[in-house]
Amino acid sequence: MDLTVVAYVIYLVISIGLTVWVARTLSRNGRVFIGDVLQGNEKLADAVNHLLVVGFYLVNIGFVTLYLRSGETILDARGLFEALSVKIGVVLLLLGVMHLGNVWVLNKMRRRGIMERHQTPPVVPQAWTTPAGA
């Protein structure tokens, strides 16, 4: 069997495995954060969390498959490891950028929600008072 095909198989197994692991980790741990962003609306938090996971899978697995093709023929074990290290490294960087992007957007949403909560008075005004000295 050609070593290029072996590299493809190893790359797909590792990259898709990493994508699934990261998506599950982000989904499990991000649910609390999304719940806070959405002010405790659990059903909406679960729906948004699920949509983010699906989008995460689509973008990352789409990239992994597009990045599969290699322009060079792999002839030996050294070439195999070098090709895999570059490809898997790029996938890891993409996973990290996607994660940071999600956290950045959710943090902006969370801050906006906190600001809105602080701008509304805790109770409706009961009556008006006349200004002092009038």
Side-chain angles (χ1 to χ4, degrees):
M1 183 187 296
D2 185 13
L3 282 180
T4 305
V5 174
V6 172
Y8 289 164
V9 171
I10 294 170
Y11 165 72
L12 284 174
V13 168
I14 291 173
S15 296
I16 292 174
L18 283 170
T19 299
V20 169
W21 175 73
V22 170
R24 285 184 177 174
T25 302
L26 293 176
S27 173
R28 184 176 55 250
N29 296 319
R31 188 185 176 290
V32 174
F33 189 75
I34 293 171
D36 183 50
V37 168
L38 299 173
Q39 300 173 5
N41 188 341
E42 297 296 321
K43 290 179 85 171
L44 184 59
D46 288 338
V48 169
N49 194 21
H50 185 72
L51 290 173
L52 285 172
V53 168
V54 169
F56 188 83
Y57 279 132
L58 290 173
V59 169
N60 285 296
I61 292 176
F63 177 80
V64 164
T65 55
L66 285 174
Y67 196 60
L68 175 67
R69 187 172 181 200
S70 178
E72 58 192 56
T73 303
I74 299 172
L75 302 173
D76 56 0
R78 178 181 174 185
L80 177 72
F81 281 108
E82 288 174 355
L84 284 174
S85 70
V86 169
K87 288 191 171 294
I88 292 171
V90 170
V91 169
L92 287 171
L93 288 173
L94 177 70
L95 289 170
V97 167
M98 290 286 295
H99 168 63
L100 292 175
N102 281 339
V103 169
W104 183 76
V105 168
L106 290 172
N107 194 33
K108 284 194 85 63
M109 289 172 59
R110 181 174 177 262
R111 285 185 180 189
R112 184 179 304 146
I114 290 171
M115 292 298 291
E116 288 174 2
R117 281 183 250 164
H118 288 297
Q119 289 178 352
T120 57
V123 294
V124 179
Q126 303 292 322
W128 294 93
T129 59
T130 57

